[in-house]
């Protein structure tokens, strides 16, 4: 006789009411949807014990989420390497963040799903929705009825009401990442008593992108940790350092800088639409451009080879060491090579693992106190060798760099390892006769810290100043791309200049974005 009706949108409660059937088995009511935003509304019916017994989803469409930027060309040039000027006008007082792409119209594109249909429809439903953007092309009653059929056929959604009633929270597999690649690290070899009187690390940061060095003082905590979260590292930074305030431990301690972040979660990309709905005419057009580009490359190589001048080159120190120390099984060039005899970093590293840490892309090494260490590469543990004999990671971590002449890190897979070496290998070679220990370099010790990769701008040639003599054919299929075009109330008209390639005769312009008040836009047009 007693029921409960609960309505949610995007897992937020928007309506709840009790249903009394003690007087009549038929009752009715209304949910004020005019006060709700556009999107999927989930209505669930519970019995008196809060057990879900029926559910229905429906789509509320007020169409308040649209804004329509004006997109056109003030200068159109479809000829070979002609200049074009794309004009975007946002006739709105709110600012907007837009993404703009201009491609060859002959290259097909999947327009069945876009920012509008994804945010409002497909991201909220389980399963595949065939051409979801179709349901937003107009607001006729027929289309709304068809959209309601989509709601009926998708049934129960993501909320597990039994867990909700029991108060059981979902397990967070990948927690929010709150750390950045900042300047931090730890001092090893010192006890809290050694640091109780205060100590700090004096560092000089030399970044490859900076014109000036920065001097920082980092207080060292009793645990040995030090950090400055305000210094975010980019590209490659050389950190020169000196321990201050505690001379008694300066010669018996080691400094380690943090230079890696946890591995990100794996994101699965569904490419079923691309496979099932590929256009044969588009594929032929792509193949034609690819064949033409390959022919141009071959012609370029033929022209270049006739003018090549060969110069003799002295073998590098690493090549000499490789020939001296490695056997044929370990002589592969598909490896990172480190000349520990002539590398100043070797003098500042206590072990082989500390020496290569942060210097090999993808190889994650953690060196802890007491000689404990771990390494991961492509989801597995690399194999370790000392003078080409298999050793454990602890044995390699205990090998002093003062005795090491050469280190090779083999990329996965390393065929010389037992089992195929799917996670690569680290091989160290101790000094042989004639390899004298290098003289200690003067000056402060330093370490290389790897930060965030520098942002790269999408390449778009400027043929107004570009000398194109003896250059390959321009066969770019994407003529312009910018993921962040910002407009404001004062600057709501954006002009974008780009040049055509050698073959494109019509452009496809795709614009998507959102205003600061949450309205979204999708514009796609072909210009000939």
């Amino acid at each position: 006789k007693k029921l409960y009706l609960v309505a949610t949108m995007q897992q937020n409660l928007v309506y709840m009411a009790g249903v009394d059937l003690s007087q009549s088995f038929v009752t009715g009511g209304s949910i004020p949807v005019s006060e709700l935003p556009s999107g999927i509304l989930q209505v669930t019916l519970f019995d008196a014990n809060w057990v879900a017994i029926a559910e229905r989803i429906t789509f509320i469409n007020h169409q308040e989420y649209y804004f329509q930027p004006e997109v056109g060309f003030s200068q159109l040039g479809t000829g070979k390497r002609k200049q074009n000027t794309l004009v975007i006008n946002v006739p709105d007082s709110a600012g907007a963040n837009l993404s703009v792409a201009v491609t060859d119209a002959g290259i097909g594109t999947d327009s069945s799903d876009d920012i509008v249909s994804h945010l409002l429809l497909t991201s909220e439903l389980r399963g595949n929705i065939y051409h979801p953007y179709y349901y937003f092309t107009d607001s006729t009653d027929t289309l709304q009825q068809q959209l309601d059929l989509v709601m009926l056929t998708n049934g129960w959604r993501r909320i597990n009401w039994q867990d909700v009633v029991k108060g059981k929270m979902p397990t967070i597999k990948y927690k929010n990442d709150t750390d950045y690649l900042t300047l931090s690290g730890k001092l090893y070899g010192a006890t809290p008593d050694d640091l109780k009187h205060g100590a700090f690390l004096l560092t000089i940061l030399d970044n490859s992108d900076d014109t000036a060095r920065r001097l920082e003082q980092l207080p060292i905590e009793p645990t040995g940790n030090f950090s400055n979260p305000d210094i975010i590292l980019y590209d490659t930074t050389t950190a020169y350092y000196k321990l201050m305030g505690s001379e008694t431990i300066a010669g018996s301690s080691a400094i380690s800088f943090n230079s890696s972040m946890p591995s990100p979660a794996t994101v699965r990309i569904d490419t079923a639409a691309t496979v099932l709905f590929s256009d044969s005419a588009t594929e032929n057009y792509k193949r034609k451009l690819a064949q033409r580009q390959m022919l141009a490359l071959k012609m370029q190589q033929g022209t270049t080879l006739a003018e090549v001048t060969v110069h003799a080159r002295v073998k590098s120190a690493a090549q000499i060491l490789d020939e001296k120390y490695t056997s044929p099984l370990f002589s592969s060039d598909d490896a990172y090579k480190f000349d520990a005899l002539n590398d100043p970093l070797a003098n500042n590293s206590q072990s082989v693992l500390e020496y290569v840490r942060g210097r090999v892309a993808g190889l994650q090494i953690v060196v802890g106190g007491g000689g404990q260490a771990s390494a991961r590469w492509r989801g597995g543990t690399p194999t370790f060798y000392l003078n080409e004999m298999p050793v454990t990671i602890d044995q390699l971590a205990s090998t002093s760099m003062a005795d090491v002449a050469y280190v090779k890190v083999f990329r996965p897979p390393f065929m010389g390892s037992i089992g195929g070496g799917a996670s690569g290998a680290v091989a160290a070679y101790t000094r042989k006769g004639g390899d004298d220990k290098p003289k200690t370099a003067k000056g402060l010790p330093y370490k290389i810290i790897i930060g965030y990769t520098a942002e790269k701008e999408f390449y778009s040639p400027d043929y107004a100043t570009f000398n194109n003599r003896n250059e390959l054919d321009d066969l770019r299929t994407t003529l312009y791309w910018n993921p962040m075009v910002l407009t404001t109330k004062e600057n709501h008209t954006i002009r974008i200049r780009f040049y055509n390639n050698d073959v494109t005769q019509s452009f496809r312009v795709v614009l998507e974005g959102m205003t600061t008040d949450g309205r979204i836009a999708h514009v796609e047009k072909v210009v000939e």
Side-chain angles (χ1 to χ4, degrees):
K1 304 301 182 180
K2 182 70 174 179
L3 301 172
Y4 299 97
L5 192 68
V6 174
T8 60
M9 292 191 74
Q10 298 180 354
Q11 304 190 49
N12 290 292
L13 179 66
V14 296
Y15 181 82
M16 183 169 66
V19 181
D20 187 4
L21 298 180
S22 60
Q23 302 297 326
S24 172
F25 289 106
V26 179
T27 187
S30 62
I31 298 177
V33 296
S34 60
E35 302 176 9
L36 300 176
S38 296
I40 294 178
L41 176 69
Q42 176 182 0
V43 183
T44 308
L45 190 67
F46 297 87
D47 64 11
N49 296 320
W50 288 99
V51 176
I53 57 177
E55 188 171 73
R56 172 76 153 88
I57 58 176
T58 183
F59 194 88
I60 300 175
N61 194 354
H62 300 312
Q63 296 188 339
E64 86 287 0
Y65 46 82
Y66 275 121
F67 83 98
Q68 193 69 17
E70 300 173 357
V71 180
F73 282 84
S74 63
Q75 180 183 3
L76 181 63
T78 57
K80 180 178 179 180
R81 304 191 181 186
K82 294 296 184 180
Q83 180 175 316
N84 296 268
T85 303
L86 178 66
V87 181
I88 301 172
N89 182 36
V90 181
D92 200 304
S93 59
N97 188 339
L98 308 174
S99 175
V100 183
V102 182
T103 60
D104 189 321
I107 301 297
T109 181
D110 182 9
S111 301
S112 61
D113 197 7
D114 59 25
I115 187 174
V116 178
S117 57
H118 180 78
L119 289 179
L120 298 180
L121 184 62
T122 56
S123 62
E124 289 290 302
L125 295 178
R126 291 181 177 178
N128 182 47
I129 307 299
Y130 181 76
H131 284 195
Y133 183 64
Y134 163 75
Y135 302 102
F136 298 91
T137 53
D138 59 55
S139 58
T140 60
D141 293 340
T142 301
L143 203 63
Q144 297 306 310
Q145 293 173 1
Q146 294 175 358
L147 180 57
D148 198 49
L149 292 176
V150 174
M151 301 292 100
L152 286 169
T153 55
N154 276 269
W156 295 80
R157 292 180 62 244
R158 64 182 61 177
I159 299 179
N160 188 331
W161 288 114
Q162 294 180 351
D163 291 344
V164 173
V165 172
K166 295 178 182 178
K168 182 180 179 181
M169 301 299 293
T171 302
I172 305 300
K173 187 175 182 181
Y174 299 104
K175 297 181 180 180
N176 289 340
D177 190 1
T178 58
D179 294 329
Y180 295 90
L181 291 181
T182 58
L183 181 62
S184 61
K186 189 171 183 177
L187 172 67
Y188 294 96
T191 65
D193 291 337
D194 296 331
L195 301 172
K196 63 182 180 180
H197 298 298
F200 65 92
L201 191 68
L202 182 67
T203 62
I204 301 176
L205 303 179
D206 186 5
N207 190 280
S208 58
D209 292 337
D210 293 341
T211 56
R213 295 181 176 182
R214 291 181 294 173
L215 179 65
E216 299 290 337
Q217 293 185 9
L218 305 176
I220 299 178
E221 302 174 1
T223 59
N225 295 320
F226 57 87
S227 65
N228 187 340
D230 296 329
I231 301 179
I232 299 179
L233 303 174
Y234 293 92
D235 204 0
T236 301
T237 300
T238 303
Y240 301 89
Y241 60 92
K242 183 177 183 181
L243 184 62
M244 306 293 291
S246 182
E247 299 296 337
T248 57
I249 61 174
S252 60
S253 59
I255 298 294
S256 175
F257 289 91
N258 297 333
S259 59
S260 62
M261 295 181 68
S263 300
T266 301
V267 179
R268 185 181 65 86
I269 300 177
D270 187 4
T271 58
T274 306
V275 175
L276 295 177
F277 309 114
S278 60
D279 187 351
S280 59
T282 297
E283 294 300 323
N284 290 334
Y285 186 72
K286 290 180 180 178
R287 189 177 296 108
K288 179 181 177 181
L289 289 182
Q291 291 174 348
R292 182 171 174 179
Q293 190 168 24
M294 288 297 296
L295 180 61
L297 285 172
K298 290 181 179 180
M299 294 179 62
Q300 179 72 6
Q301 290 173 356
T303 303
T304 304
L305 286 176
E307 302 175 355
V308 166
T309 302
V310 179
H311 298 277
R313 181 174 297 177
V314 179
K315 293 182 179 180
S316 64
Q319 290 175 325
I320 296 174
L321 288 173
D322 196 79
E323 294 177 357
K324 181 177 180 179
Y325 283 90
T326 62
S327 65
L329 187 61
F330 287 76
S331 61
S332 172
D333 287 332
D334 190 20
Y336 295 86
K337 303 176 183 179
F338 301 98
D339 176 11
L341 289 176
N342 302 297
D343 190 352
L345 289 176
N347 298 326
N348 302 320
S349 302
Q350 292 187 335
S351 68
V352 175
L353 295 180
E354 184 179 349
Y355 174 61
V356 300
R357 183 176 60 176
R359 306 180 70 182
V360 177
L363 177 59
Q364 299 179 349
I365 295 177
V366 178
V367 181
Q372 296 180 351
S374 62
R376 301 285 293 177
W377 202 356
R378 295 193 182 178
T381 302
T383 51
F384 304 94
Y385 298 90
L386 183 61
N387 295 329
E388 301 186 353
M389 296 296 294
V391 294
T392 65
I393 187 173
D394 293 333
Q395 289 175 315
L396 195 64
S398 61
T399 302
S400 174
M401 281 302 298
D403 301 325
V404 176
Y406 184 48
V407 180
K408 289 188 73 171
V409 181
F410 296 91
R411 297 181 178 89
F414 175 53
M415 298 306 177
S417 297
I418 299 176
S423 299
V426 179
Y429 298 84
T430 56
R431 301 173 186 272
K432 293 183 178 180
D435 291 332
D436 297 328
K437 185 176 180 179
K439 297 179 179 180
T440 304
K442 297 181 179 180
L444 293 176
Y446 66 92
K447 291 185 182 295
I448 304 297
I449 310 175
I450 306 300
Y452 290 107
T453 302
E455 181 181 0
K456 295 182 179 180
E457 184 179 358
F458 179 78
Y459 173 70
S460 183
D462 184 359
Y463 286 123
T465 59
F466 184 72
N467 183 5
N468 59 2
R469 291 182 302 173
N470 299 325
E471 290 293 329
L472 294 174
D473 291 343
D474 186 350
L475 302 176
R476 292 172 296 128
T477 55
T478 301
L479 304 174
Y480 180 82
W481 177 71
N482 191 338
M484 187 174 291
V485 177
L486 303 178
T487 67
T488 62
K489 179 180 179 180
E490 295 76 17
N491 184 24
H492 57 84
T493 300
I494 305 296
R495 297 180 181 273
I496 297 173
R497 190 187 69 171
F498 66 93
Y499 287 86
N500 191 19
N501 57 22
D502 293 348
V503 296
T504 296
Q505 298 179 352
S506 58
F507 306 136
R508 173 179 278 105
V509 181
V510 178
L511 179 145
E512 290 190 335
M514 179 178 291
T515 61
T516 54
D517 56 1
R519 288 175 296 136
I520 47 184
H522 172 81
V523 177
E524 182 174 345
K525 60 169 53 178
V526 175
V527 180
E528 298 179 337

